[in-house]
Amino acid sequence: GALGLHNFISQQFSMPEGLFGRLTGAVMGLINLLPNKRAIELLDISEQDDVLEIGFGPGLALRKMSQLVRSGRITGVDRSPTMFRQAQARNRTAIQHGKLKLIQGTFECLSLESASVDKVLAVNVIYFCSPDGTALAEARRVLRPGGAMSIYATDCSSMRWLQFIGPETQQTFDRKGLEDF
């Protein structure tokens, strides 16, 4: 029924897999086009910045940020094998040049040194993080003093309309909720 499909869709956004996962990747790319652009602009990335993207999806933002840094490095973490492969294919050159490193893993436990990045980007992924704030604490741990974090969340009123909320979605936000979190 509708709920089954709804759960399936929200699960795909949390952990895209298989054919539907690849399709989800394309949809995510479109949905996140403007949010990525805005969130990256706000980070004001300079040529020597080391940047971490949490939940890189199909890897479009990684590609954009790789073009902005010269001496800096970009690291991406995502838990979906399907998204890992998509992002890898899309960013092959940057990876080969050692400018970009992809990690398949969770947001709650980042395999990065403390205070090792200048900027953190997280677009439309905060719903899949545990409400206890572990992922946020981890992002803060790897951020250098004076660093910046750009966390983008779609307002929960649109999320309901988009039907992305399901069992995989740990929490949704409106503006105040996000600020409080």
Side-chain angles (χ1 to χ4, degrees), residues 59-145:
L60 292 159
L62 290 173
R63 190 169 66 185
K64 177 83 188 104
M65 293 188 296
S66 300
Q67 292 159 358
L68 297 173
V69 300
R70 292 278 170 268
S71 57
R73 289 192 61 192
I74 312 283
T75 306
V77 178
D78 201 293
R79 54 189 196 150
S80 158
T82 306
M83 291 300 99
F84 187 88
R85 285 191 300 274
Q86 277 193 17
Q88 203 172 29
R90 186 166 271 130
N91 293 281
R92 196 146 279 152
T93 317
I95 294 169
Q96 280 162 354
H97 292 155
K99 193 188 272 194
L100 172 64
K101 182 184 176 194
L102 299 184
I103 300 169
Q104 198 185 315
T106 70
F107 312 147
E108 272 74 24
C109 184
L110 301 170
S111 54
L112 277 86
E113 297 280 315
S114 295
S116 60
V117 298
D118 303 293
K119 310 277 165 81
V120 175
L121 176 72
V123 171
N124 281 331
V125 292
I126 196 162
Y127 335 105
F128 311 122
C129 299
S130 68
D132 66 8
T134 322
L136 217 49
E138 265 295 85
R140 180 162 247 145
R141 176 185 68 77
V142 302
L143 197 61
R144 291 187 178 122

Side-chain angles (χ1 to χ4, degrees), residues 135-157:
L136 217 49
E138 265 295 85
R140 180 162 247 145
R141 176 185 68 77
V142 302
L143 197 61
R144 291 187 178 122
M149 223 184 276
S150 183
I151 297 173
Y152 183 103
T154 301
D155 193 279
C156 54
S157 55

